[in-house]
Amino acid sequence: VQLQASGGGLVQAGGSLRLSCVASGTIRSIKDMGWYRQAPGKQRELVAVVTSRGTTNYADSVKGRFTISRDNAKNAVYLQMNTLKPEDTAVYYCKADISRIGRVRSDDYWGQGTQVTVSS
């Protein structure tokens, strides 16, 4: 199983970016899918998560600016980021709780990370 993230880049404050993450491999089902970020010198933190039924949860710092969504048919999760601020600068990672074909339990899988830089 692999998660491939894309969509990062350099943007001015107030701008927008859309991150995408697609899971591939021997996937039986996916539970929660989410986005995390890690800024230099800081711990990795949760940005947003979406359950298999579409329930969402956001970090307080991004509420009202970021929107997480998923496409179950494509095993994909997206993060629409609007009104970006310099403090949103970080490496963004996607994570998915995946049950593989032939296995009962699920495991967390991480994408490779994509850099988001917001200039002031």
Side-chain angles (χ1 to χ4, degrees):
V1 172
Q2 290 186 332
L3 270 64
Q4 182 68 43
S6 61
L10 173 63
V11 64
Q12 289 188 334
S16 298
L17 283 173
R18 185 174 188 252
L19 305 182
S20 300
C21 177
V22 179
S24 62
T26 54
I27 297 170
R28 178 167 60 86
S29 63
I30 303 178
K31 297 178 181 178
D32 294 356
M33 301 185 83
W35 289 95
Y36 293 72
R37 67 186 181 187
Q38 187 166 19
K42 295 187 177 181
Q43 290 187 334
R44 191 173 297 188
E45 63 176 2
L46 172 69
V47 175
V49 63
V50 57
T51 69
S52 58
R53 295 187 177 184
T55 302
T56 58
N57 191 34
Y58 296 91
D60 288 343
S61 59
V62 307
K63 283 181 180 177
R65 299 187 298 120
F66 290 11
T67 302
I68 190 170
S69 61
R70 64 188 284 171
D71 184 332
N72 292 330
K74 296 181 179 180
N75 291 333
V77 62
Y78 309 98
L79 187 68
Q80 178 65 43
M81 304 185 293
N82 298 328
T83 319
L84 282 160
K85 304 176 180 180
E87 51 263 44
D88 294 318
T89 295
V91 177
Y92 284 70
Y93 299 89
C94 57
K95 189 182 82 167
D97 186 4
I98 296 174
S99 295
R100 298 179 62 180
I101 294 172
R103 299 184 65 173
V104 175
R105 74 172 197 181
S106 63
D107 295 291
D108 286 336
Y109 291 85
W110 290 87
Q112 83 283 11
T114 183
Q115 177 70 46
V116 172
T117 302
V118 184
S119 63
S120 57

PDB file of all heavy atoms in Angstrom, residues 8 16 39 43 61 86 103 107:
ATOM      1  N   GLY A   8       1.412  20.634  -3.185  1.00  0.00           N
ATOM      2  CA  GLY A   8       2.064  21.693  -2.427  1.00  0.00           C
ATOM      3  C   GLY A   8       2.712  22.705  -3.330  1.00  0.00           C
ATOM      4  O   GLY A   8       2.746  22.559  -4.550  1.00  0.00           O
ATOM      5  N   SER A  16      -4.550  30.369  -2.123  1.00  0.00           N
ATOM      6  CA  SER A  16      -5.151  29.038  -1.940  1.00  0.00           C
ATOM      7  C   SER A  16      -4.285  27.964  -2.575  1.00  0.00           C
ATOM      8  O   SER A  16      -3.553  28.212  -3.543  1.00  0.00           O
ATOM      9  CB  SER A  16      -6.543  28.989  -2.576  1.00  0.00           C
ATOM     10  OG  SER A  16      -7.426  29.904  -1.985  1.00  0.00           O
ATOM     11  N   ALA A  39       5.942  21.793  10.898  1.00  0.00           N
ATOM     12  CA  ALA A  39       6.760  22.963  10.616  1.00  0.00           C
ATOM     13  C   ALA A  39       8.152  22.752  11.212  1.00  0.00           C
ATOM     14  O   ALA A  39       8.319  21.950  12.137  1.00  0.00           O
ATOM     15  CB  ALA A  39       6.108  24.205  11.207  1.00  0.00           C
ATOM     16  N   GLN A  43       6.507  19.801  16.398  1.00  0.00           N
ATOM     17  CA  GLN A  43       5.985  18.451  16.271  1.00  0.00           C
ATOM     18  C   GLN A  43       4.923  18.383  15.179  1.00  0.00           C
ATOM     19  O   GLN A  43       4.279  19.388  14.848  1.00  0.00           O
ATOM     20  CB  GLN A  43       5.383  17.997  17.608  1.00  0.00           C
ATOM     21  CG  GLN A  43       6.407  17.747  18.696  1.00  0.00           C
ATOM     22  CD  GLN A  43       5.795  17.128  19.942  1.00  0.00           C
ATOM     23  OE1 GLN A  43       4.615  17.304  20.216  1.00  0.00           O
ATOM     24  NE2 GLN A  43       6.595  16.393  20.687  1.00  0.00           N
ATOM     25  N   SER A  61      -6.900  26.056  14.406  1.00  0.00           N
ATOM     26  CA  SER A  61      -6.151  27.049  13.647  1.00  0.00           C
ATOM     27  C   SER A  61      -6.550  27.106  12.169  1.00  0.00           C
ATOM     28  O   SER A  61      -6.223  28.084  11.485  1.00  0.00           O
ATOM     29  CB  SER A  61      -4.655  26.773  13.758  1.00  0.00           C
ATOM     30  OG  SER A  61      -4.351  25.480  13.257  1.00  0.00           O
ATOM     31  N   PRO A  86       1.214  32.796   6.646  1.00  0.00           N
ATOM     32  CA  PRO A  86       2.608  32.325   6.756  1.00  0.00           C
ATOM     33  C   PRO A  86       2.775  31.208   7.780  1.00  0.00           C
ATOM     34  O   PRO A  86       3.612  30.307   7.580  1.00  0.00           O
ATOM     35  CB  PRO A  86       3.356  33.593   7.177  1.00  0.00           C
ATOM     36  CG  PRO A  86       2.566  34.706   6.566  1.00  0.00           C
ATOM     37  CD  PRO A  86       1.130  34.267   6.684  1.00  0.00           C
ATOM     38  N   ARG A 103      -6.257  -9.332   5.250  1.00  0.00           N
ATOM     39  CA  ARG A 103      -5.902  -9.054   6.632  1.00  0.00           C
ATOM     40  C   ARG A 103      -7.107  -8.505   7.375  1.00  0.00           C
ATOM     41  O   ARG A 103      -7.917  -7.778   6.798  1.00  0.00           O
ATOM     42  CB  ARG A 103      -4.743  -8.064   6.709  1.00  0.00           C
ATOM     43  CG  ARG A 103      -3.486  -8.579   6.037  1.00  0.00           C
ATOM     44  CD  ARG A 103      -2.330  -7.627   6.203  1.00  0.00           C
ATOM     45  NE  ARG A 103      -1.914  -7.484   7.602  1.00  0.00           N
ATOM     46  CZ  ARG A 103      -0.831  -6.811   7.981  1.00  0.00           C
ATOM     47  NH1 ARG A 103      -0.076  -6.228   7.079  1.00  0.00           N
ATOM     48  NH2 ARG A 103      -0.513  -6.713   9.246  1.00  0.00           N
ATOM     49  N   ASP A 107      -4.089  -0.700   9.525  1.00  0.00           N
ATOM     50  CA  ASP A 107      -2.852  -0.028   9.915  1.00  0.00           C
ATOM     51  C   ASP A 107      -2.825   1.374   9.343  1.00  0.00           C
ATOM     52  O   ASP A 107      -3.477   1.662   8.333  1.00  0.00           O
ATOM     53  CB  ASP A 107      -1.630  -0.806   9.394  1.00  0.00           C
ATOM     54  CG  ASP A 107      -1.513  -2.168  10.024  1.00  0.00           C
ATOM     55  OD1 ASP A 107      -1.223  -2.245  11.224  1.00  0.00           O
ATOM     56  OD2 ASP A 107      -1.715  -3.166   9.304  1.00  0.00           O
TER      57      ASP A 107
END
